[in-house]
Amino acid sequence: MTLRYWTAGESHGKTLGAILDGFPAGVELETAPIDAELRRRADQEPSGRTQVIAELRPGWDVTSDIKNLGGRLGRRLRTYNGQVLELNNGQLKKLAKSPAVLSIHYDRPIAAHNYITGLTIGSPAVRLDQGYTGAGIGVAVID
């Protein structure tokens, strides 16, 4: 099975669109209000904390729910009608039952790696020798 995806937006605005091509028909997708990783964390690591993304019902706000559950609000994801937040794992299932919440998902960490290209062009040596970090530099890729 080959999946192809395209994304558009977010680099110049607050909207991100995505197309997924090649997904076979009839595949069961998880539609539970709380994803499998968060269920595992709630059951096995209830004293830990996790950053999550809550998809909200239109017009609803979870600010008071999060404060009552001892959580911390992060950024609002308006195009998705979502809210980033951090919460004790033991409170995740309670949040999923809130009438304001459609679903909650683990906000998985992501990282970019470009080791081979960096070594090929000598950028680690320039960083070490010249002290350049790339901070404050904007890059646009036009394809």
Side-chain angles (χ1 to χ4, degrees), residues 62-73 85-87 95:
V62 290
T63 303
S64 61
D65 290 341
I66 300 310
K67 289 181 180 177
N68 290 338
L69 293 172
R72 184 179 59 85
L73 290 171
L85 51 105
E86 186 178 294
L87 196 61
L95 176 64

Side-chain angles (χ1 to χ4, degrees), residues 33-111:
I34 182 170
D35 75 22
E37 174 62 16
L38 294 181
R39 281 194 304 274
R40 185 195 68 75
R41 287 172 180 244
D43 294 338
Q44 296 176 13
E45 305 169 26
S47 61
R49 287 181 74 82
T50 300
Q51 184 167 303
V52 302
I53 298 173
E55 181 184 4
L56 307 177
R57 293 185 189 284
W60 287 72
D61 184 17
V62 290
T63 303
S64 61
D65 290 341
I66 300 310
K67 289 181 180 177
N68 290 338
L69 293 172
R72 184 179 59 85
L73 290 171
R75 80 182 243 215
R76 184 87 162 115
L77 305 171
R78 298 197 188 288
T79 57
Y80 173 68
N81 199 30
Q83 176 72 55
V84 176
L85 51 105
E86 186 178 294
L87 196 61
N88 285 340
N89 295 342
Q91 302 296 331
L92 292 170
K93 290 181 180 178
K94 289 180 184 175
L95 176 64
K97 292 179 182 177
S98 167
V101 174
L102 288 170
S103 61
I104 59 173
H105 307 276
Y106 177 41
D107 189 7
R108 289 164 174 81
I110 60 169

